[in-house]
Amino acid sequence: MAPSTLVTRRDQMFPTLAEADIDRMRRFGEASAYAAGEHIVRAGDVAPGLIVLLSGKVDITQDGGLGRRETIVTHGPGSFVGELAQLSARPSLVNAEAAEPVEAFVIPAQRLRDLMVQEANLGERIMRALILRRVGLLESGSSGPVIIGPAGNGDTLRLQGFLARSGQPHRALDSDSDPCAKTLIERFHVDPHHLPIVLCPDGKLLRNPGEKELARCIGLLRPIDATKVYDVAIVGAGPAGLAAAVYAASEGLSTIVLDCRAFGGQAGASSRIENYLGFPTGISGMALMARAYNQAQKFGVEMVIPDEAKLLSGASDGYRLDVGDDESVRARTVVIASGARYRRLDIANLAQFEGACVHYWASPIEARLCAGQEVALVGAGNSAGQAAVYLASHVRKVALLARGRSLDATMSRYLVERIKAQPNIEVLTETEVEALDGDEGNLGTIRWRHRASGEETTRPIRHLFLFIGADPNTDWLAQCNVALDAKGFVRTGSDIESGLMETSRSGVFAIGDVRSGSVKRVAAAVGEGAQVVAALHAYLARGNAVAPQTARRI
């Protein structure tokens, strides 16, 4: 097992600041003092900010289950208390208690972001430490909410997947075998039919919650300020949306981002991207998107995830986006970056197995679930190739099914070669899944057919991965007077006699996979996200604080 980040990068994770650095930071904070034994921060509560210690010591602990606490580190003079949660004033994931009298100063979230910008070199060191501390918490598997339920249950996997994609530390306890899980179930008198349950850091118990309910409980999703008018509202937190957010916010535009699932989009599902400029050793889609998400928060972007945009309408001060829970967002401009949604196989009983046995994502969660087994994967694009290679290192065998005669026409050459080099990947071209069979939501066998010969094969496979492309995520625009093409992608630019990336509604722009004619690549999406900010500036510079109430004729 590889050594943890806490071991390999401890000095960067917990740096001791020089006196000169502390003096430069003082203007961003306010003096504070804590008595010995005082609880400075409790897990589940919002911390006052980044706490810079001048004297004394502070113990940082995380809950180890059943009332046990594990010490992560003891901070002394020149150290600072905080991790990524403090960058956006989210609830703390750890406890901080004064081990002896402490003199310090506290830098609140807004001023911390100011420090990051105004003191670039110092801000870089602090940002690196905050990120590494979050990585350490993710690796420890002890902080954050606790999910208790059957290990292979679809809802248990759904909640684990949501927290993992959101970069949130958490623990998952198997209700069938873990003694701590059984103790907690008995303590809270939970009926097995109500599993999985989630115990939030603030002590609140949720019974099989939805993603939004869980996100609100852990402070990831906060109420929207109905009185604020943002310069730009971005719908979608994939590569295009996050790039637009970073560039817009860094250039002074007040920015809010919404996404109905989690940040990262389809790019976040890529187990390894090796042809993205600047990463010669490759990078996982999740790691790349997490960097962009943290970067956006550094510049003060307000994240509303998961929350779904339902309707776009004109307002006196620009546009209004109706979202879930009867809330709304007001903005002078809107950027549609809602990407695409995964395609599903046209098989009658597919839904019966989705969640527990049919997967649209190949992450460590699914890899552990399928370890040592044979799996089937359908798809012939780069996402399918990346997933096949990743799974091959965890499972006994991968049966890769493709409708075409060859992978060469749809997949990057380096992936085709890598797949050929894997002895446990079997490529079955001109092959389609015909039927799924199983009991009580548990997949037992898969039957597929060779299109040319008609020969059918049935194999005892319990997990199926689908990477068969995506359709534009534009259903929510049906009543919004935004022109779409025949396939449902958003029309922009000269196609409708409009400005660059502008839709049929003035002040509403579209970027990334959702835009008609766009190149469906991560780098292209990032480029469009950067490019659209110039169009936003131009639109706002013309004095368009109030959006027209009618759409263009097309």
Side-chain angles (χ1 to χ4, degrees), residues 1-37:
M1 181 181 294
S4 69
T5 303
L6 181 61
V7 173
T8 60
R9 303 183 69 178
R10 188 180 183 86
D11 290 344
Q12 291 180 313
M13 188 183 291
F14 303 117
T16 299
L17 301 172
E19 188 63 38
D21 293 331
I22 294 174
D23 288 341
R24 287 157 57 197
M25 296 172 68
R26 285 179 189 272
R27 64 189 176 97
F28 297 96
E30 297 181 358
S32 186
Y34 305 96

Side-chain angles (χ1 to χ4, degrees), residues 15 19 29 139 278 293 316 366 403 424 434 506 525 548 552:
E19 188 63 38
E139 289 177 348
Y293 178 79
S316 60
E366 288 78 21
R403 295 179 74 250
N424 62 336
E434 286 287 297
S506 181
R552 290 190 182 88

